[in-house]
Amino acid sequence: MADDLDMLRADIEAAMAGAEDLRALDAVRVAALGKSGQVTALLKGLGALPPEERKARGAEVNVLKGEIERALEQRRVMLEAFALDARLAAERMDVSLPPRPFAPTGPEAGSIHPISRTMEELIALFGAMGFAVAEGPDIEGDWHNFSALNIPEHHPARQDHDTFYLTAPEGGRRPVLRTHTSPVQIRTMLTQEPPIRVIVPGRTWRADHDATHSPMFHQVEGLVIGRDIHMGHLKGTLIDFLRAFFGIADLPVRFRSSYFPFTEPSMEVDIGWSRKTGELGSGGDWLEILGSGMVHPKVLANCGLDPRVWQGFAFGMGIERITMLKHGIPDLRPFYEADCRWLRHYATSPLSPFTLHDAS
């Protein structure tokens, strides 16, 4: 009786070998092991055999069933691998190729807003100098936004005509839409042990609106805290950044004495340009570009840092301003007017993210 099992085994194995896909293999499985399958019929027929033959025959049929199940599983794995290889071959693409052009009447490619592009550049350039990115809330308390930064009560920045205040909680001071990203510097010094080296890009708000000012705009500030930090570190950092950002290797940079409550000494930073042509790097004129200085000892003390041990410098600039200078944009307002024509002209492709090579 084992001869018929051998013949059945050979027939099923041949059918499995001829199955070219998973659907055909499943048909073989159903024909052999399904409710009406050939092996299932043999198991159902065991009850009609004499008791002395039933045990041996049952063992043989169960061995056959196990062999067929293992063979089906091996063939299934093989067919799945073949199917995956075929799919990968059919869907393979060369990612180094440029994107296909869009039809004139079809959807247009998305692009990166000039502000977002500048933020990418800032993060890449300062990241190469070892700066991390720090973030904080857009709504700040009075202490983080003003007091901790040594800004006195009578300072103009605290006035309603300069600052957007929110409703004060009962018994408390009014929170503000942050007027600069400096509160994040305070939060960083309060939560992070020195040495510290961070930049803080983000949104800020001030009550001002014209061709060069917006109620909402973007700033990036930098903070370095460590032992024996001095003015030379500040000047070297900013000179290297400005020359890399504007792509002018010999860009003239001037540091001019100024006053900020949170730095001492404080300096405005100017770059060379031509007042007549607007060209950067030439012309013999100077253009103010950012503010900077050594962190005031009172600010360090407010954050629990001993000014006799820790020193540092800070700087800040408007992201819209440096973007306008770099790309020759004369008016701030189109940044937020969602004019697709303007965006197509000044925006960049999302497939060409900024790298340090772009700054060389």
Side-chain angles (χ1 to χ4, degrees), residues 14 37 138 156 181 237 241 252:
D138 292 349
T181 57
T237 298
F241 161 71

Side-chain angles (χ1 to χ4, degrees), residues 72-93:
L72 285 168
E73 176 63 19
Q74 292 174 359
R75 183 61 177 172
R76 183 191 64 79
V77 171
M78 184 180 301
L79 289 175
E80 285 182 346
F82 289 158
L84 178 60
D85 290 342
R87 181 179 176 185
L88 292 176
E91 297 178 359
R92 181 179 297 132
M93 66 173 63

Side-chain angles (χ1 to χ4, degrees), residues 98-174:
R100 295 184 178 91
F102 286 83
T105 57
E108 295 182 352
S111 57
I112 297 177
H113 193 279
I115 296 298
S116 299
R117 174 68 171 190
T118 298
M119 285 189 178
E120 288 183 352
E121 297 181 38
L122 293 170
I123 292 170
L125 291 171
F126 282 111
M129 301 183 197
F131 284 76
V133 175
E135 297 179 328
D138 292 349
I139 299 175
E140 276 290 4
D142 179 90
W143 190 83
H144 285 94
N145 198 79
F146 296 122
S147 300
L149 291 159
N150 197 38
I151 298 176
E153 293 286 342
H154 62 269
H155 196 280
R158 289 181 178 263
Q159 304 304 312
D160 286 1
H161 61 75
D162 274 349
T163 299
F164 293 108
Y165 283 94
L166 284 70
T167 303
E170 185 175 353
R173 304 195 66 162
R174 293 180 297 171

Side-chain angles (χ1 to χ4, degrees), residues 15-303:
M16 283 190 289
E20 297 183 352
D21 54 37
L22 293 173
R23 180 175 296 181
L25 183 66
D26 191 61
V28 175
R29 180 191 65 79
V30 171
L33 303 177
K35 290 183 178 180
S36 301
Q38 296 165 291
V39 176
T40 305
L42 292 176
L43 291 172
K44 291 180 178 179
L46 292 175
L49 296 176
E52 62 273 12
E53 297 180 9
R54 188 183 308 156
K55 183 177 181 179
R57 179 66 171 180
E60 292 174 347
V61 174
N62 281 321
V63 169
L64 174 62
K65 180 182 178 183
E67 292 175 348
I68 293 173
E69 288 176 341
R70 288 189 292 272
L72 285 168
E73 176 63 19
Q74 292 174 359
R75 183 61 177 172
R76 183 191 64 79
V77 171
M78 184 180 301
L79 289 175
E80 285 182 346
F82 289 158
L84 178 60
D85 290 342
R87 181 179 176 185
L88 292 176
E91 297 178 359
R92 181 179 297 132
M93 66 173 63
D94 186 352
V95 296
S96 65
L97 291 174
R100 295 184 178 91
F102 286 83
T105 57
E108 295 182 352
S111 57
I112 297 177
H113 193 279
I115 296 298
S116 299
R117 174 68 171 190
T118 298
M119 285 189 178
E120 288 183 352
E121 297 181 38
L122 293 170
I123 292 170
L125 291 171
F126 282 111
M129 301 183 197
F131 284 76
V133 175
E135 297 179 328
D138 292 349
I139 299 175
E140 276 290 4
D142 179 90
W143 190 83
H144 285 94
N145 198 79
F146 296 122
S147 300
L149 291 159
N150 197 38
I151 298 176
E153 293 286 342
H154 62 269
H155 196 280
R158 289 181 178 263
Q159 304 304 312
D160 286 1
H161 61 75
D162 274 349
T163 299
F164 293 108
Y165 283 94
L166 284 70
T167 303
E170 185 175 353
R173 304 195 66 162
R174 293 180 297 171
V176 301
L177 292 176
R178 65 183 184 187
T179 59
H180 42 193
T181 57
S182 301
V184 184
Q185 297 187 33
I186 299 299
R187 292 179 177 275
T188 301
M189 286 188 280
L190 288 170
T191 58
Q192 182 176 324
E193 292 289 333
I196 296 170
R197 193 181 300 185
V198 296
I199 59 168
V200 189
R203 291 183 299 255
T204 55
W205 286 264
R206 294 180 191 175
D208 204 354
H209 192 209
D210 56 38
T212 57
H213 297 86
S214 170
M216 188 282 296
F217 58 101
H218 297 80
Q219 276 190 343
V220 61
E221 298 189 12
L223 173 70
V224 172
I225 301 293
R227 297 179 187 272
D228 302 321
I229 298 296
H230 54 72
M231 191 78 72
H233 297 128
L234 167 61
K235 296 177 72 173
T237 298
L238 292 180
I239 290 172
D240 284 351
F241 161 71
L242 290 170
R243 290 176 174 174
F245 179 80
F246 290 110
I248 303 173
D250 57 350
L251 177 69
V253 180
R254 180 179 71 175
F255 293 81
R256 176 169 41 86
S257 296
S258 184
Y259 167 76
F260 302 111
F262 30 80
T263 52
E264 179 61 36
S266 303
M267 297 173 295
E268 302 281 4
V269 182
D270 305 330
I271 58 174
W273 78 308
S274 171
R275 187 183 302 274
K276 183 177 181 179
T277 66
E279 182 181 358
L280 298 178
S282 63
D285 300 311
W286 294 100
L287 179 67
E288 180 185 319
I289 191 72
L290 61 92
S292 65
M294 303 301 293
V295 179
H296 198 291
K298 288 185 178 180
V299 175
L300 293 171
N302 287 339
C303 297

